[in-house]
Amino acid sequence: RSGKYVYKPIMNQTCCPQYTIRCQALCFQTSKSHKKVLKKMLKFISKGDISKVVSEEEPMDSHIEDVVACDFAYKSESHVSQSELTPLSVDHTERVENEDKDTGVTEEEVNVQKVESGSLQICADKDTPVPGEPSHPAKIVHAPPKPGKGADLSKPPCRKAKDIRKERKLQKLLQNQMCTFEGSPLQAGDQIFLLQNSKSKTNQPKTIEDFIFVSLPDDAPHKLEVRLVPVSFEDPQFKSSFNQSATLFAKYQMAIHKDTPSDCGENEFTRFLCDSPLEAENAPNGPECGYGSFHQQYWLDGKIIAVGVIDILPYCVSSVYLYYDPDYSFLSLGVYSALREIAFTRQLHEKAPDLCFYYMGFYIHSCPKMRYKGQYRPSDLLCPETYVWTPIEQCLPLLEHSKYCRFNQDVKAVDEGRIKELGRVRVLHKRTVMPYSVYKKRRKGPSDEASVQQYASLVGQTCSERMLLFRS
């Protein structure tokens, strides 16, 4: 949508087909590039660190190359107030940066166990990975034998640091839990069982919440707060922040999209991002904030640096637009805000179980700058002919060959919601609502059945009976 204007492209006729895309928010797993953006924000807030940062990034296009690689790992989830999300902060930033490194064994301790041999030995050091940690290449050590001697078989073989840490962990567990029974030591099988059950949760993949909702150190130089504000001039928060928000919109449009001041004034801002066809509604089984259109404002140290325009609907959070302060481009606010909105969708799901998808509008494969939406996985594209959701990894090879594609490979499949009875289309004529079959008889002049048929084919049978087609 654009303001109150809701549109649907004619897919097989437009120059750049636009496919509806949705992300399965409950199954979302952060990619490597997503983690980089989240960690960059954490470092900036907790330390004021802006080193090794690429500036001048597009709103959400900073990691477009990820969609080309298609190497995402698909893996199968907090309290939200009505006006404000939990402030972003950091606890133990080093823990986040180092992915829970275990430094239980030093390099010196491992090197002592290296075998003196003429053969090639691969020995672990303190960087040897454990489950859940980033992998590093093992050190390759050429250990030539001493003159006149072969391998010293009296020394223990080279062992991995990971194995040594496991053994120490088991020993500590046995000591702490007094692992003896009637004076008899535990058997090997019992020890293995205890070791398996002693694995810490730090070895599990981090969720998006692990990066976003963490505690901020007391001496953090910055504070980021995300506020959810209903788009209504009757809402005090929206009204009080309107001027600052509108000014930021103009700054963004002129810097990023090269608009003129007259193209992005307050009237244009209101029409584009404040007007909405949705009416606010609070349902008993819905989220506390209710349904409708909202601005998600990102306040950094007391000022707005970004605004995500979203619609909260019974089944999804729909991203409408994002604008931000170009001075903070180095924070990759487009990517960051999308990740926050996915996390927000997961929060809303806790109160509204049907709300579990994150919609990012249209995916346009023929436009490289719009492919960034494909990096939020797992995601589905909507088949333009049968309206069946199809995993994006199945769609991409087809789109490489043709801009317009039918994703559903079942040649017999049809749109189950297609128009079946044109006469039941609802029409508004002379302030009276009537079915098209009645209007058709009253109409004077040439038939307009072809245009009504096209309209009905685009919206489907169900919507054609819920919406009103205006006829003068």
Side-chain angles (χ1 to χ4, degrees), residues 32 39 97-101 127-137:
K32 184 177 180 180
K39 291 177 183 179
E97 294 172 2
N98 295 321
E99 296 284 340
D100 302 317
K101 284 187 178 178
D127 292 327
T128 301
V130 297
E133 292 184 0
S135 61
H136 302 283

Side-chain angles (χ1 to χ4, degrees), residues 183-453:
S184 175
L186 293 178
Q187 299 300 313
D190 298 323
Q191 296 179 5
I192 295 174
F193 174 79
L194 285 171
L195 180 60
Q196 290 175 342
N197 284 276
S198 69
K199 290 182 179 179
S200 66
K201 294 182 179 180
T202 57
N203 288 337
Q204 300 300 319
K206 286 182 177 293
T207 66
I208 190 171
E209 289 82 5
D210 291 332
F211 289 98
I212 294 177
F213 304 112
V214 290
S215 301
L216 187 71
D218 295 335
D219 59 347
H222 299 291
K223 178 182 179 182
L224 179 68
E225 183 181 9
V226 182
R227 301 178 187 175
L228 184 69
V229 181
V231 181
S232 170
F233 286 97
E234 296 179 0
D235 182 84
Q237 288 193 74
F238 178 80
K239 190 175 181 179
S240 63
S241 62
F242 176 83
N243 289 337
Q244 186 179 166
S245 187
T247 301
L248 178 60
F249 169 75
K251 181 178 181 180
Y252 169 81
Q253 291 295 121
M254 289 187 287
I256 303 299
H257 297 293
K258 311 306 177 185
D259 284 0
T260 64
S262 60
D263 293 330
C264 49
E266 286 191 2
N267 290 336
E268 288 70 26
F269 170 66
T270 301
R271 177 193 56 78
F272 180 33
L273 298 177
C274 299
D275 291 344
S276 172
L278 303 180
E279 293 186 3
E281 177 183 333
N282 287 89
N285 59 342
E288 294 180 9
C289 59
Y291 300 120
S293 296
F294 297 83
H295 282 187
Q296 216 167 31
Q297 301 174 340
Y298 293 75
W299 290 77
L300 179 68
D301 302 331
K303 75 171 184 176
I304 302 176
I305 64 166
V307 176
V309 183
I310 61 174
D311 292 336
I312 299 179
L313 303 167
Y315 299 99
C316 70
V317 169
S318 176
S319 176
V320 178
Y321 200 68
L322 171 82
Y323 58 96
Y324 60 87
D325 190 334
D327 295 342
Y328 292 89
S329 295
F330 62 87
L331 290 175
S332 304
L333 292 171
V335 176
Y336 180 76
S337 66
L339 296 173
R340 289 291 300 230
E341 288 170 6
I342 291 173
F344 180 52
T345 303
R346 290 158 65 116
Q347 288 180 317
L348 296 179
H349 169 76
E350 296 180 4
K351 182 67 171 62
D354 290 338
L355 202 165
C356 55
F357 295 107
Y358 174 59
Y359 280 57
M360 300 185 71
F362 292 126
Y363 174 79
I364 308 175
H365 191 76
S366 54
C367 178
K369 278 191 137 185
M370 295 298 290
R371 293 186 184 182
Y372 68 86
K373 297 180 183 181
Q375 70 177 287
Y376 299 88
R377 303 292 185 90
S379 288
D380 307 305
L381 298 184
L382 192 64
C383 176
E385 295 182 6
T386 62
Y387 297 95
V388 172
W389 291 104
T390 308
I392 192 170
E393 65 268 20
Q394 297 180 23
C395 303
L396 295 181
L398 300 174
L399 292 172
E400 286 295 325
H401 290 86
S402 175
K403 291 192 296 184
Y404 174 76
C405 294
R406 171 192 167 108
F407 299 136
N408 192 332
Q409 298 301 296
D410 182 357
V411 295
K412 296 181 179 179
V414 296
D415 173 20
E416 296 297 335
R418 68 190 183 283
I419 190 72
K420 300 179 181 70
E421 298 182 50
L422 189 64
R424 293 172 57 179
V425 173
R426 297 177 73 195
V427 175
L428 177 63
H429 177 60
K430 293 184 177 180
R431 300 185 180 181
T432 304
V433 177
M434 63 188 74
Y436 178 68
S437 58
V438 174
Y439 165 76
K440 184 178 179 180
K441 295 177 181 178
R442 296 184 181 182
R443 176 181 171 82
K444 297 179 182 179
S447 172
D448 64 346
E449 185 169 336
S451 62
V452 176
Q453 179 69 48

